[in-house]
């Protein structure tokens, strides 16, 4: 076996070509990973992906007896005791609107829920039929001309709805 000595110049050239080949191979393997990389933080003006995908719920309440349970569910969905919902609206129709008045039996639960960010909406048609005026309602309660149409509007906006 004959050994041919390699010059230093040829050795450096071989090492450089192998290093270049390895760098190209590494770049080719890592390029797809870089294209899939996601930023770890987002701009404060842009809602996070999780917040944008968090569910929004709307509850339709027909009976004043169900009001405390629905208010508690809506409230806990916003306060982090559940899976972190983005919004919770309670639409009250029919005779249940009588439960939304100032000084009524559900005033404390309503106030606690409103303070937690729950939006409570009284049906205007039901208010008219039951004799409840906007002045009778607890402060912070919204009204809609028709509670069912309000629920349909929320559904069209992507809310998940529950009817109780």
């Amino acid at each position: 076996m004959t050994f041919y000595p390699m010059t230093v110049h040829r050795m450096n050239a071989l090492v450089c070509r192998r290093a270049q080949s390895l760098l190209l191979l590494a770049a080719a393997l890592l390029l797809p990973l870089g294209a899939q990389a996601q930023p770890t933080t987002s701009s404060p003006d842009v809602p996070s992906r999780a917040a944008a995908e968090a569910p929004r719920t709307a509850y339709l309440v027909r009976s004043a007896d169900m009001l405390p349970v629905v208010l508690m569910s809506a409230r806990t969905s916003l306060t982090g005791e559940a899976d972190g919902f983005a919004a919770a609206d309670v639409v009250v129709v029919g005779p249940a609107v009588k439960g939304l008045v100032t000084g009524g039996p559900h005033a404390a639960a309503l106030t606690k829920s409103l303070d937690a960010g729950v939006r409570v909406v009284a049906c205007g048609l039901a208010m008219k039929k039951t004799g409840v005026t906007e002045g009778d309602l607890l402060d912070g309660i919204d009204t809609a001309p028709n509670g069912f149409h309000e629920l349909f509007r929320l559904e069209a906006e992507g809310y998940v709805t529950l009817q109780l």
Side-chain angles (χ1 to χ4, degrees):
M1 181 156 128
T2 310
F3 179 72
Y4 297 101
M6 189 178 280
T7 65
V8 172
H9 179 67
R10 280 186 69 199
M11 177 95 97
N12 283 342
L14 181 63
V15 169
C16 284
R17 274 186 296 207
R18 285 190 178 168
Q20 287 173 344
S21 297
L22 286 173
L23 284 173
L24 285 173
L25 178 64
L29 292 173
L30 294 175
L31 185 62
L33 295 175
Q36 296 174 2
Q38 299 294 321
T40 56
T41 60
S42 62
S43 165
D45 297 337
V46 178
S48 70
R49 184 175 179 190
E53 294 175 357
R56 299 176 296 167
T57 56
Y59 303 84
L60 180 72
V61 180
R62 298 176 192 207
S63 166
D65 293 338
M66 293 301 297
L67 202 51
V69 173
V70 170
L71 290 169
M72 182 181 64
S73 293
R75 186 174 61 248
T76 57
S77 72
L78 293 178
T79 59
E81 296 173 35
D83 292 333
F85 287 66
D89 290 25
V90 176
V91 180
V92 183
V93 299
V97 296
K98 290 180 182 177
L100 303 178
V101 297
T102 303
H106 308 299
L110 283 161
T111 300
K112 193 172 182 182
S113 297
L114 290 166
D115 290 345
V118 175
R119 179 175 170 254
V120 180
V121 183
C123 172
L125 291 175
M127 288 172 58
K128 191 179 287 185
K129 189 168 184 171
T130 58
V132 175
T133 66
E134 284 193 43
D136 297 333
L137 295 175
L138 193 69
D139 287 341
I141 294 178
D142 294 334
T143 60
N146 184 314
F148 292 107
H149 292 171
E150 178 65 9
L151 191 70
F152 299 151
R153 184 186 70 76
L154 294 170
E155 284 178 338
E157 288 184 12
Y159 278 68
V160 176
T161 58
L162 301 164
Q163 297 185 30
L164 303 167

